[in-house]
Amino acid sequence: MLNLTEKIKAGLTRIDPFDRGKNQDPLSNIKTATRWLESLSGGDVLTSHGAILAELKRFNANLKLATKQQLALLMLLDEKTQDLQDTLVQQYLRSSRMSRSIESQLWHAINGMYWEIARAYHVFVMEYSRNPKNHQNEALIPLVTLRALRTLGRYLKWRAMRYLQPGQNIWAGMHKLYLVAETHGFHQQKMEIYPPHKVSFSCESVYLHALMFALANTGTLYPRQLHLLDQWLDTWSGTLSLDSQLFFHQHSFAVDLSIDHSARRVRNPAIDKPVRYWGTAKLGQRLDAIQSALREGSPPSRLGLSEDARVAESIDLLDHLQRQWAAVATREQRRVPRERVKHMVEISHGFGSITAQLPNSPATSHSVYGSSLAYEETQDVALYGFVTERTRQHTTQTKKLPTGTAPDIERWIMHDESAQGYGAIIDTRNKTWLRVGALIAAKPREADEWRLGVVRRLYRLDEESSSVGIETFPESLRLVSLLDKQESGYHVGGRDINGPPLPFMSLWLAGQDGRATLIIDPAHYKSGKVLELEGIEGLSWISLGSPVERGEGWMRVEVHPGETNA
């Protein structure tokens, strides 16, 4: 209880003309919330985003009665967050080489916002489903359900970005949302989710969007590929429809709305359960047509794909989708049989670490830092003009160790093996580098030579462990030195301001047929570039051919004998 003095002070505070609501709850009403949102800094996106996220968490913690005013506040916060969320998403996807701490900060901000908005909307929809008659929010429930389904789908997408499982009861919650829409007859009603966007969706199309995304998400796609898939499904999911009755000649997939699981292929349908079915034959024909047009030279944007989609990556992703969404009879089977094993394999990851393990390191060119310049040192000199203290300490420690005993070598217990790679379940708590497309070198403890490989599949089983699939290349691995002797073209007083060219390390993959490919940093690639080579007997000059594959921080290119013009 307040005493008389405290009551007087509180009253004066409320009528104080200089108190502009600094201590007022920003979500006390629509007017206050609007004023508060307008006061947020437009230049600091992450800070403004974080402020709204904090208020949403508080909103959800205090959400007991789903009133009309509370729903209006939630929809306002959701709408005002869209531009901020989109900005952070683009920052995340465009910064492939950001530090792990920045990546973690962005991911948690984006993922947290989707979760708080989705669970808040879910409360309003479920409250309506329990008592729909003369409900105060009845007119808005179709739009609220649509937003809830859409936001939960985004939440699942961002968990997929980190190869995380959906989480307990997430699919059960999505099934309930769709059932509400279907039960009350607005599941196929098209609506604009957020003004002023002109694209309309229905609860059924958004629900199918999430189901098809989950079917395609096998733990083998890069974050950029997941984002492209999500964009494409905005258009494609509208061509699909759900049926409550099974027709074997039409339907390929089914989802049981009574269990916490995504869709599966139709095998043994449960007649006594709420199952919905759909087919993908027409969509498969559409994908075939898009692929054919891409191979004939049509740009992706003209085919309904996103503006920033590239031809090669689009073809690869479409191949993957056709396999995952095809009928069982045409689904691609495993190329090489696996064998259950249990033995230790040493793993090295990243250019610098891999090059440190190879015993055939060639003598590199002479530079201001001496011979045998380490990969990290070369990169520092190219970027800054000197070797940083951090790199100097790391390379000094590494050079003191014998080959094969670098501090960043990990030892994994493999659970299965084939002629083309390994599968393992490993502890991933401190493996911040681990992601699909990571370049690695693998060597069984009893073997003498390293084999180069790539992480192809990653699926986090829980907070501590992950299932990992590695493809290893059959070609023999060599470390080579490359030198680009062409001048930069920037001169001051007749002198090349970049100084003499520096060599850089690359990984040479030699096949038994005599053909070779090269793993290099994408910054050094240009089609047809002629480079001086050291480390391969009988070959001094090469030219770079077409890219074979790209990964994060590396690319594999064809190699042809080259001639110098010097």
Side-chain angles (χ1 to χ4, degrees), residues 364-374 377-378 381 387 483 500-503:
T364 57
S365 69
H366 301 288
S367 74
V368 293
Y369 293 96
S371 61
S372 300
L373 200 65
E377 295 172 332
T378 305
V381 173
V387 178
L483 183 63
L502 291 171

Side-chain angles (χ1 to χ4, degrees), residues 219-511:
T220 60
L221 300 177
Y222 301 121
R224 176 177 164 79
Q225 291 175 309
L226 291 170
H227 184 61
L228 284 176
L229 168 61
D230 183 55
Q231 290 179 302
W232 296 352
L233 278 169
D234 276 344
T235 301
W236 299 343
S237 59
T239 65
L240 305 171
S241 60
L242 292 171
D243 292 315
S244 57
Q245 185 177 356
L246 173 62
F247 299 98
F248 279 104
H249 64 287
Q250 294 180 6
H251 298 143
S252 304
F253 298 98
V255 58
D256 186 344
L257 303 182
S258 65
I259 61 174
D260 185 28
H261 200 281
S262 182
R264 293 181 171 129
R265 293 182 179 274
V266 174
R267 289 187 177 91
N268 300 311
I271 302 176
D272 58 338
K273 292 185 177 181
V275 180
R276 300 296 180 268
Y277 307 93
W278 74 99
T280 56
K282 291 183 179 179
L283 179 57
Q285 294 172 0
R286 183 172 183 173
L287 299 190
D288 286 338
I290 293 174
Q291 269 199 318
S292 298
L294 286 172
R295 296 182 191 280
E296 292 171 0
S298 295
S301 58
R302 291 186 183 177
L303 300 173
L305 307 181
S306 56
E307 293 289 336
D308 59 343
R310 297 186 288 264
V311 173
E313 71 175 353
S314 297
I315 291 175
D316 290 342
L317 182 53
L318 287 166
D319 281 336
H320 172 82
L321 298 180
Q322 286 175 314
R323 291 193 297 271
Q324 297 308 125
W325 295 343
V328 176
T330 59
R331 190 181 182 189
E332 183 184 65
Q333 302 299 313
R334 184 175 295 278
R335 292 175 293 174
V336 180
R338 291 186 297 182
E339 179 183 352
R340 301 290 294 180
V341 298
K342 190 174 183 180
H343 64 93
M344 185 175 291
V345 172
E346 294 182 342
I347 298 291
S348 181
H349 63 88
F351 247 111
S353 178
I354 292 172
T355 57
Q357 313 315 314
L358 301 181
N360 56 333
S361 176
T364 57
S365 69
H366 301 288
S367 74
V368 293
Y369 293 96
S371 61
S372 300
L373 200 65
Y375 175 78
E376 295 95 334
E377 295 172 332
T378 305
Q379 294 300 98
D380 276 1
V381 173
L383 289 172
Y384 313 117
F386 59 91
V387 178
T388 63
E389 184 61 28
R390 179 181 176 183
T391 298
R392 192 189 304 277
Q393 291 177 358
H394 179 265
T395 53
T396 299
Q397 293 171 358
T398 302
K399 289 174 182 176
K400 290 179 180 178
L401 298 169
T403 300
T405 59
D408 48 359
I409 283 184
E410 301 179 7
R411 291 170 176 83
W412 295 3
I413 302 297
M414 299 300 175
H415 293 78
D416 61 69
E417 182 179 6
S418 73
Q420 296 183 350
Y422 301 99
I425 296 176
I426 61 172
D427 186 335
T428 51
R429 282 175 292 185
N430 298 318
K431 293 177 174 54
T432 57
W433 62 271
L434 186 60
R435 60 193 68 185
V436 170
L439 190 70
I440 60 107
K443 182 174 75 68
R445 295 192 67 180
E446 64 276 8
D448 296 325
E449 296 184 351
W450 291 84
R451 292 177 64 184
L452 199 65
V454 177
V455 176
R456 296 297 189 195
R457 176 182 53 79
L458 178 61
Y459 196 72
R460 300 196 186 276
L461 304 175
D462 51 44
E463 294 297 324
E464 298 181 353
S465 61
S466 298
S467 175
V468 182
I470 299 170
E471 178 187 4
T472 53
F473 301 138
E475 295 89 348
S476 60
L477 176 62
R478 294 286 303 274
L479 181 64
V480 298
S481 172
L482 297 175
L483 183 63
D484 183 3
K485 288 194 171 182
Q486 295 181 352
E487 292 183 330
S488 68
Y490 296 96
H491 295 79
V492 175
R495 182 167 173 253
D496 187 351
I497 63 173
N498 283 346
L502 291 171
F504 57 92
M505 296 294 103
S506 296
L507 301 171
W508 183 274
L509 293 171

Side-chain angles (χ1 to χ4, degrees), residues 11 79 86 108 131 135 175 202 208 223 297 312 315 333 366 388 401 407 415 456 501 522:
E79 291 165 8
D86 288 345
H108 278 96
N131 184 26
H135 196 278
H175 299 334
S202 68
L208 276 163
I315 291 175
Q333 302 299 313
H366 301 288
T388 63
L401 298 169
H415 293 78
R456 296 297 189 195

Side-chain angles (χ1 to χ4, degrees), residues 149-169:
L149 284 166
R150 176 78 163 184
T151 311
L152 262 183
R154 291 286 189 265
Y155 173 75
L156 289 170
K157 167 188 170 181
W158 279 89
R159 290 188 67 82
M161 291 282 189
R162 279 196 165 186
Y163 311 104
L164 296 169
Q165 296 190 68
Q168 190 173 7
N169 293 325

